[in-house]
Amino acid sequence: MTDKLVQALRGLLPRSLRMRLLVFLLAAIVLAGAVQGALAYRGALAEADALFDYHMQQTALALRSGLPVDAQGLGPGLDPEDENHEFIVQVWTNEGLRIFESAVGAALPQIAVLGFTDVQARGGTYRVFSMQTRSQVIQVAQNMAARRDMARSLALRTLAPLAIMAPLLVLAVWWGVSRSLAPVERVRRQLAQRQGDDLSPVSDAQLPDEVQPLVSELNLLFERVQRAFDAQEHFVADAAHELRSPLAALRLQLQGLQRAGDDAARAVAIERLSAGIDRATRLVEQLLTLARQEASTSTTEPVDLRAVAQLALADVAPAAQARSMDVGLLNSDAATVPVTVRGNAEALRMLARNLLDNAIKYTPTGGRVDLQVRSEGDAAVLTVEDSGPGIAPEHRERVMQRFVRETSEGAPGSGLGLAIVQAIAQGHGATVQLGASPRLGGLLVTVRFG
């Protein structure tokens, strides 16, 4: 029931931030005015009671010199309608004979209790002060309604400035909120005027602290979307550029198969066509892998880099055995200690597999490829070195680009292996460095995390 009531109240609130602030401000002003009015009324009533009680005492003291026993309270010709029933004075003898009253017919009961007391009379409440002298009892009474009227009047006068200031406060808040929300309105206009492909960052200058994180997250979202768009454009461009030649080769090989005159020629044509299909399939897989890694926003988790390296070695083991190559993981004194990095385990496995695959393809048959994982301070390092021809220093930066190959003749490949490694490393905050292997004499690839 309470939840439904809260939801109903939320539904009544306006969606505009300005209107909500104004509603809350007006409610606060009304509540503060009510509290202030109640406190002012109570304070004014207490002051009126003290003032009128003092006045009643002074009136009674002024009459204590006594009145003659035949004194009359009304002179001839006084209209009873003009009598003041709000303030009444009565004088009694000690024998109980009323010898004076300020208003005929307004007699109040004689009270034996001296001092102040409240009496119900004439349909209302009277405050009565009684004082006894040697020969008389003097009673001074006042209708409490007069005191309440005065207290109410004083409370209203106290609230009058607040009532005058309330509209000014509302206008001031409206102006302040509008000024504060002006940067938000500016951001809204910027977004409304943008084209669909404009993913540039939104300016967060002068934004309120409560809104700035929202715009920062929006800019991060734009950056991720822009990265995904760029990766898509690169993929389309790369695919259009690189698939043209393999597809043309496949068409020529198919024509050669169709023109084959005997079984031997047909077998050769089929073998060439199968190899061409394998190369095209490998190229498409690498293009898809590169596009996926460049646009990847996968969540990260702690990954044991040494365990990932062992899985990558298992992946390339058949290719290494086919070429009679020695491919293995170099062990160190801390080989049993996990080397942990934050990242995506499958992507890191692909990084190590591509490095090993490149080393196996471009190293002569019977060569050697070593993989090592170690810690250097706070950094994790993965290295792959081979006994192949290596890469000349002037070409090392260039081979990190797409479709660039600086290898020996006849080695299959599309020039995407190191580009995929670079994309994965950048996604993990790592750096890739190419150098010469001092032990094996070939290429040394160092991937440093952290």
Side-chain angles (χ1 to χ4, degrees):
M1 185 64 182
T2 304
D3 294 340
K4 292 182 178 179
L5 179 60
V6 171
Q7 292 177 358
L9 291 176
R10 287 179 179 173
L12 294 176
L13 288 175
R15 298 180 63 87
S16 169
L17 181 58
R18 287 190 184 92
M19 294 304 299
R20 284 194 177 190
L21 289 174
L22 289 175
V23 167
F24 285 129
L25 176 64
L26 288 175
I29 291 176
V30 171
L31 180 61
V35 173
Q36 183 176 354
L39 295 177
Y41 176 78
R42 293 188 60 179
L45 185 59
E47 292 180 4
D49 284 340
L51 178 63
F52 284 118
D53 285 350
Y54 176 76
H55 178 61
M56 291 169 62
Q57 283 181 310
Q58 295 302 313
T59 301
L61 290 173
L63 297 175
R64 64 183 174 178
S65 59
L67 294 175
V69 295
D70 57 349
Q72 298 296 323
L74 289 175
L78 183 61
D79 190 351
E81 294 182 359
D82 294 333
E83 298 173 359
N84 181 10
H85 293 116
E86 293 183 357
F87 195 83
I88 302 173
V89 179
Q90 296 183 139
V91 181
W92 307 73
T93 64
N94 289 332
E95 290 78 16
L97 175 65
R98 186 170 58 244
I99 59 174
F100 177 82
E101 58 183 1
S102 61
V104 177
L108 299 177
Q110 183 179 8
I111 301 174
V113 179
L114 300 180
F116 287 98
T117 187
D118 294 336
V119 175
Q120 298 294 327
R122 301 183 59 82
T125 303
Y126 279 79
R127 179 75 163 168
V128 180
F129 177 73
S130 299
M131 185 181 69
Q132 186 176 16
T133 65
R134 287 180 298 178
S135 60
Q136 297 172 339
V137 176
I138 303 171
Q139 287 186 346
V140 181
Q142 184 184 31
N143 195 336
M144 295 293 290
R147 302 188 180 194
R148 289 192 292 267
D149 291 342
M150 179 175 288
R152 192 178 303 111
S153 176
L154 291 174
L156 290 176
R157 278 188 226 148
T158 303
L159 292 177
L162 181 61
I164 296 174
M165 290 296 295
L168 298 178
L169 287 174
V170 171
L171 291 176
V173 171
W174 181 276
W175 179 83
V177 171
S178 299
R179 290 275 297 179
S180 300
L181 294 180
V184 180
E185 180 64 20
R186 171 177 53 79
V187 171
R188 187 199 66 79
R189 288 196 302 268
Q190 288 181 2
L191 294 176
Q193 295 170 0
R194 285 191 174 195
Q195 300 296 325
D197 57 350
D198 185 1
L199 296 175
S200 59
V202 179
S203 174
D204 58 357
Q206 298 180 347
L207 282 175
D209 292 342
E210 293 80 6
V211 182
Q212 197 165 19
L214 175 63
V215 176
S216 299
E217 292 298 328
L218 182 64
N219 286 334
L220 291 176
L221 175 62
F222 283 167
E223 183 180 350
R224 291 193 294 269
V225 174
Q226 184 66 59
R227 190 163 57 244
F229 281 173
D230 292 342
Q232 183 182 27
E233 291 178 358
H234 291 157
F235 171 75
V236 173
D238 295 342
H241 177 269
E242 290 300 317
L243 288 177
R244 188 180 295 114
S245 296
L247 292 177
L250 288 176
R251 180 179 292 276
L252 292 175
Q253 291 160 359
L254 179 60
Q255 292 174 356
L257 176 63
Q258 292 172 343
R259 291 195 299 266
D262 53 24
D263 292 341
R266 189 176 297 107
V268 172
I270 291 175
E271 183 178 355
R272 290 177 178 174
L273 179 61
S274 176
I277 292 174
D278 291 339
R279 286 194 296 271
T281 301
R282 175 64 176 168
L283 175 61
V284 171
E285 289 177 350
Q286 287 189 313
L287 283 171
L288 291 174
T289 299
L290 180 61
R292 183 167 56 250
Q293 291 304 319
E294 289 183 338
S296 176
T297 57
S298 302
T299 56
T300 61
E301 59 183 358
V303 178
D304 184 358
L305 199 57
R306 184 171 283 114
V308 167
Q310 292 172 345
L311 293 175
L313 284 171
D315 292 337
V316 301
Q321 292 175 358
R323 302 193 63 192
S324 302
M325 299 183 67
D326 180 12
V327 180
L329 180 66
L330 288 181
N331 292 325
S332 61
D333 295 338
T336 58
V337 179
V339 179
T340 303
V341 297
R342 289 198 65 85
N344 181 274
E346 187 59 33
L348 293 174
R349 179 178 178 179
M350 187 182 302
L351 179 146
R353 185 169 63 242
N354 273 274
L355 290 177
L356 292 170
D357 184 62
N358 277 359
I360 292 171
K361 285 191 297 185
Y362 302 134
T363 298
T365 301
R368 179 177 175 181
V369 177
D370 288 338
L371 172 65
Q372 185 180 31
V373 176
R374 65 182 184 273
S375 296
E376 292 185 358
D378 294 334
V381 179
L382 182 147
T383 60
V384 176
E385 50 187 330
D386 58 59
S387 60
I391 299 177
E394 62 271 17
H395 296 155
R396 288 170 185 168
E397 183 176 354
R398 185 169 175 267
V399 296
M400 302 301 294
Q401 302 174 6
R402 297 181 181 87
F403 311 114
V404 175
R405 298 176 61 210
E406 297 286 341
T407 59
S408 59
E409 291 292 333
S414 58
L416 287 174
L418 290 177
I420 293 174
V421 170
Q422 180 81 322
I424 296 174
Q426 289 178 349
H428 288 76
T431 58
V432 181
Q433 183 179 4
L434 304 184
S437 171
R439 291 191 311 107
L440 304 181
L443 180 67
L444 170 65
V445 182
T446 302
V447 183
R448 183 178 299 274
F449 298 84

